[in-house]
Amino acid sequence: MSGYLLEMKGIAKRFDGVPALDGIDLAIRPGECIGLCGENGAGKSTLMKVLSAVYPHGTWDGEILLDGQPLRARSVRETEEAGIIIIHQELMLVPELTVAENIFLGNEPTLPGGRLNYPAMNHRAEEILRELKLPDVNVVLPVKNYGGGHQQLIEIGKALNKNARLLILDEPSASLTAAEIEVLLEIIRDLKAKGVACVYISHKLEEVAAICDTIVVIRDGRHIATTPMAAMSVDRIIAQMCGRELNQLYPSLPHEVGEVVMEARHVTCYDPDQPLRKKVDDVSFQLRRGEILGIAGLVGAGRTELVTAIFGSYPGKYEAEVWLDGRRVDTSEPLEAIRAGFALVPEDRKQHGIVRDLSVGENITLSVLGRYARLTRIDDMLEARAIDEQIRRLALKAASPALPITALSGGNQQKAVLAKMLLTGPRVLILDEPTRGVDVGAKFEIYKLMLELAAQGISIIMVSSELAEVLGVSDRVLVMGEGQLRGEFVNKDLTQEMVLAAAIGQPASRAAEGAPV
Ligand SMILES: Nc1ncnc2c1ncn2[C@@H]1O[C@H](COP(=O)(O)OP(=O)(O)OP(=O)(O)O)[C@@H](O)[C@H]1O
Ligand SMILES: [Mg+2]
């Protein structure tokens, strides 16, 4: 016996004749955790969709062996029965169903007579959530009540509820905080100890280095290298991914911070489900011309709520006063906010960022279609030129702007959303987790773009859970905790520890250099 749980041999997959995977081999032992690394569009998700029969046998070339026997699955149900469980990059939860219903979706326990056994379901769901350190989530409430990080953990809970021999995690941690990632890694270690194999995909390479035994790097659909992690480093992974050394993670571009242009006063957001509970509690702050303002905090700190209230897209009841150039402006609806000079790139691109039925190009020009309308006819030439310019500016990898947006890799969808908002020519650009699921090279490009925009006088608010990135690009940092502003620092000699201490409400972090503004 080979000792392998699973082998993929010579896997090749084309989309409309264009190769996405070109002869990839991958072998996995029981209890082994493989880190599958590659740039946006390298083919990681596609390879895992082949493995889990999202693309059924017959729609690709090559061979898959499970326990040494050919596996020719025609459906995800079949691979699940074989113990291959995939957690997709894009969340697959049904927003209207309860947390417990989502966890059991497709394998609900029933009572004699066929009715669903809700008590059993809810009880088991609670157990799973305790394992995920989410005891405050109510399993009988709809999933849509919870934010991105919680939803991602619930999605993981759904997988834990199935009997996995091989667990595939495609960007499981994109919207998790450092503490939540620790919980996730702990769970994976447990599974490994029980002999469960994992394929772990993440652009957070520290995490990959921490959990994986073996690193498989692919580039442009081809296998580049398979190396034990013990013989690797994060820098080596990056070099293999990009095909070159990347010696700088954050670009530097001097830009001048000018006068106050925007002010948010007394922003308060109420929990849509518990109207007395405040998710943001009377937060006020200022933003200067050409400034990059980072907003840090733990998931649930109220950061997304704060920026969506400013942009008029907060779903519940809220109060907010928004001032631009010393004048009160109406941002009660996103359209008003865009007109006033605001743009927001949302955290959850699947729900709020992209229109799934439209092409890449149509998505990009969606928010400014009026500009290309000449007597109800849209000026195709102008529109095509604007789209091309954005695609080039962001190094967006798409075979053609006419492709459906859903055909782009996750990271490239994120760039399309960014392109759409940039086209509105904003004065205040709000980015909520802008580099989620974006590879290291493309992250650098996004930071560079942010710095260039700032140098042109555009003011940027960036919400991010990646402290390194907050410290890497911000001029000033606001720290939120439990809906309140817990700290405000000039980003000079500021450390991750200082920001974290403020986030969890420890005083004494307003140290001398990173002094309050
Ligand atoms: N349904 C589809 N139709 C056409 N092309 C597709 C489709 N799905 C993926 N592709 C293309 O296949 C290539 C690989 O995409 P894939 O989603 O596997 O990348 P990835 O490595 O997962 O990237 P990311 O890190 O951004 O998630 C990309 O060029 C993508 O545009
Ligand atoms: Mg992917």
Side-chain angles (χ1 to χ4, degrees):
M1 271 293 292
S2 59
Y4 289 120
L5 169 66
L6 189 121
E7 290 166 89
M8 299 181 85
K9 292 183 173 173
I11 305 295
K13 166 85 186 156
R14 293 167 169 269
F15 292 108
D16 304 320
V18 183
L21 298 175
D22 190 2
I24 294 202
D25 294 338
L26 182 76
I28 312 169
R29 293 193 163 82
E32 183 182 26
C33 184
I34 300 237
L36 182 58
C37 300
E39 294 185 305
N40 293 134
K44 305 178 296 295
S45 297
T46 305
L47 186 65
M48 291 303 108
K49 286 178 185 168
V50 166
L51 178 50
S52 55
V54 172
Y55 301 132
H57 183 258
T59 63
W60 40 266
D61 293 321
E63 193 180 22
I64 300 180
L65 302 178
L66 180 68
D67 300 319
Q69 300 300 314
L71 176 72
R72 302 197 176 110
R74 310 281 324 179
S75 70
V76 174
R77 182 156 283 252
E78 270 179 60
T79 52
E80 283 200 351
E81 276 163 12
I84 300 171
I85 309 293
I86 183 166
I87 302 174
H88 287 282
Q89 183 167 16
E90 308 292 335
L91 296 182
M92 297 287 185
L93 299 173
V94 184
E96 312 299 329
L97 294 184
T98 70
V99 172
E101 284 166 340
N102 267 287
I103 289 178
F104 279 89
L105 198 64
N107 58 359
E108 295 88 348
T110 48
L111 292 165
R115 277 190 310 119
L116 293 189
N117 186 348
Y118 274 101
M121 225 157 91
N122 294 342
H123 181 73
R124 174 76 185 122
E126 275 167 9
E127 268 177 22
I128 290 173
L129 292 184
R130 264 200 302 277
E131 223 175 299
L132 289 165
K133 307 247 164 32
L134 285 178
D136 53 329
V137 166
N138 188 342
V139 300
V140 299
L141 286 181
V143 144
K144 64 170 189 226
N145 288 19
Y146 296 98
H150 279 36
Q151 290 198 5
Q152 200 151 23
L153 286 170
I154 293 166
E155 183 84 55
I156 291 163
K158 197 168 122 188
L160 292 181
N161 194 34
K162 299 172 182 163
N163 254 334
R165 297 182 67 202
L166 171 66
L167 184 62
I168 303 165
L169 301 108
D170 193 350
E171 290 286 348
S173 66
S175 53
L176 302 185
T177 57
E180 289 169 328
I181 290 170
E182 272 316 307
V183 174
L184 174 64
L185 296 188
E186 209 37 60
I187 287 170
I188 294 175
R189 281 186 200 108
D190 274 2
L191 291 172
K192 276 171 63 176
K194 288 180 194 147
V196 177
C198 295
V199 175
Y200 196 87
I201 300 176
S202 173
H203 289 292
K204 299 181 179 173
L205 297 175
E206 269 77 24
E207 207 174 285
V208 172
I211 194 76
C212 297
D213 309 299
T214 309
I215 304 296
V216 174
V217 174
I218 64 177
R219 195 192 312 145
D220 294 332
R222 292 202 182 84
H223 177 264
I224 299 296
T226 297
T227 323
M229 186 57 220
M232 279 295 250
S233 65
V234 167
D235 286 345
R236 288 279 318 278
I237 300 176
I238 294 175
Q240 286 186 355
M241 282 171 60
C242 313
R244 65 191 154 86
E245 299 283 335
L246 200 76
N247 37 31
Q248 203 190 354
L249 292 184
Y250 300 98
S252 62
L253 179 72
H255 58 277
E256 215 158 289
V257 175
E259 73 284 1
V260 171
V261 285
M262 195 281 273
E263 210 179 331
R265 292 188 197 161
H266 310 301
V267 182
T268 297
C269 299
Y270 299 89
D271 190 333
D273 302 297
Q274 294 163 268
L276 291 179
R277 206 179 142 240
K278 291 176 182 171
K279 296 196 121 182
V280 176
D281 189 1
D282 195 16
V283 169
S284 302
F285 68 92
Q286 294 182 330
L287 180 67
R288 294 173 173 273
R289 190 180 147 78
E291 181 178 44
I292 300 178
L293 176 67
I295 304 188
L298 308 181
V299 164
R303 298 167 303 164
T304 294
E305 288 82 355
L306 172 69
V307 294
T308 49
I310 291 171
F311 190 68
S313 58
Y314 182 69
K317 187 170 160 274
Y318 70 97
E319 292 139 22
E321 266 182 42
V322 180
W323 297 69
L324 202 61
D325 301 325
R327 267 194 306 274
R328 177 89 190 261
V329 288
D330 177 9
T331 62
S332 56
E333 293 283 338
L335 267 180
E336 299 294 337
I338 289 174
R339 205 168 296 151
F342 289 83
L344 177 120
V345 177
E347 162 184 44
D348 178 353
R349 84 179 153 252
K350 189 176 177 189
Q351 263 187 37
H352 306 292
I354 59 169
V355 181
R356 298 181 66 79
D357 298 334
L358 296 183
S359 72
V360 176
E362 285 162 336
N363 265 283
I364 291 178
T365 53
L366 199 59
S367 54
V368 290
L369 266 189
R371 201 183 289 167
Y372 307 107
R374 300 272 183 284
L375 300 168
T376 75
R377 187 179 63 86
I378 292 173
D379 191 325
D380 293 337
M381 273 260 292
L382 265 183
E383 188 182 352
R385 200 176 308 148
I387 293 170
D388 277 348
E389 201 182 298
Q390 293 302 322
I391 288 182
R392 230 175 313 113
R393 187 175 185 187
L394 295 175
L396 194 155
K397 214 188 268 177
S400 145
L403 272 183
I405 185 105
T406 45
L408 292 192
S409 76
N412 282 302
Q413 289 184 20
Q414 180 68 1
K415 290 189 192 175
V417 178
L418 191 58
K420 172 175 97 174
M421 288 329 282
L422 282 179
L423 259 193
T424 66
R427 294 192 50 205
V428 174
L429 175 64
I430 306 172
L431 304 169
D432 195 352
E433 307 285 359
T435 64
R436 172 170 302 167
V438 170
D439 70 52
V440 276
K443 269 184 187 162
F444 187 87
E445 295 303 318
I446 289 180
Y447 302 142
K448 203 166 103 205
L449 183 74
M450 287 170 67
L451 288 164
E452 282 165 10
L453 293 170
Q456 291 163 25
I458 294 173
S459 308
I460 298 175
I461 299 174
M462 177 183 75
V463 172
S464 170
S465 299
E466 277 190 58
L467 279 182
E469 141 180 310
V470 170
L471 297 178
V473 298
S474 310
D475 297 305
R476 192 159 53 96
V477 179
L478 298 183
V479 184
M480 288 186 71
E482 292 171 358
Q484 291 171 340
L485 209 53
R486 289 258 172 89
E488 179 175 350
F489 303 95
V490 173
N491 188 12
K492 182 168 175 283
D493 301 323
L494 188 59
T495 63
Q496 297 203 10
E497 289 70 29
M498 288 157 74
V499 173
L500 265 179
I504 57 179
Q506 280 174 8
S509 45
R510 291 183 172 229
E513 287 307 324
V517 192

